[in-house]
Amino acid sequence: MSGDDDVVMVDNTYRISLESARATCVGPAGRLETALDAARTAMSSGAWGGPRGEDFSGELDRYRRQLNDAGPEAIDALDRAIDAQPHRVPSTAWQVRWHQMAPR
């Protein structure tokens, strides 16, 4: 048999792994949005005042915005990677052996 005769279509294990990673990340990504809520509540209740407290409060708000964006952005990146992959690939495709491609 020639090499072309041995090629069959198989499940894309790379896509399957991306889908699994996405499912694992959804919960933690959603929790990022509330990660600093307790600190914000404390600051709003007067936990720290003065110029340094104001500086800290501003930094806290900046970090909260970044965390609020990070979860959805990570899920969107996984969705784009998943959408870019076919469900099935030839048995010779890199997606079948992707986990073996790391440097040793």
Side-chain angles (χ1 to χ4, degrees):
M1 275 188 167
S2 71
D4 289 339
D5 293 337
D6 296 335
V7 176
V8 295
M9 296 301 284
V10 298
D11 290 337
N12 182 344
T13 58
Y14 182 66
R15 181 186 174 105
I16 292 167
S17 293
L18 287 172
E19 291 169 338
S20 176
R22 185 194 188 285
T24 301
C25 292
V26 169
R31 287 191 295 275
L32 285 176
E33 295 181 12
T34 60
L36 296 176
D37 283 357
R40 169 46 47 220
T41 299
M43 291 302 294
S44 295
S45 298
W48 191 5
R52 287 194 174 177
E54 290 174 13
D55 290 346
F56 177 79
S57 185
E59 288 295 305
L60 176 63
D61 290 340
R62 184 172 64 88
Y63 289 131
R64 286 182 73 215
R65 282 190 301 277
Q66 290 173 339
L67 284 174
N68 285 346
D69 294 342
E73 286 173 2
I75 298 302
D76 288 346
L78 282 167
D79 286 341
R80 286 189 304 275
I82 291 165
D83 290 344
Q85 291 295 316
H87 289 278
R88 295 182 58 79
V89 295
S91 60
T92 56
W94 67 267
Q95 291 96 329
V96 177
R97 292 176 307 284
W98 69 273
H99 58 283
Q100 299 170 343
M101 295 171 65
R104 298 190 192 264

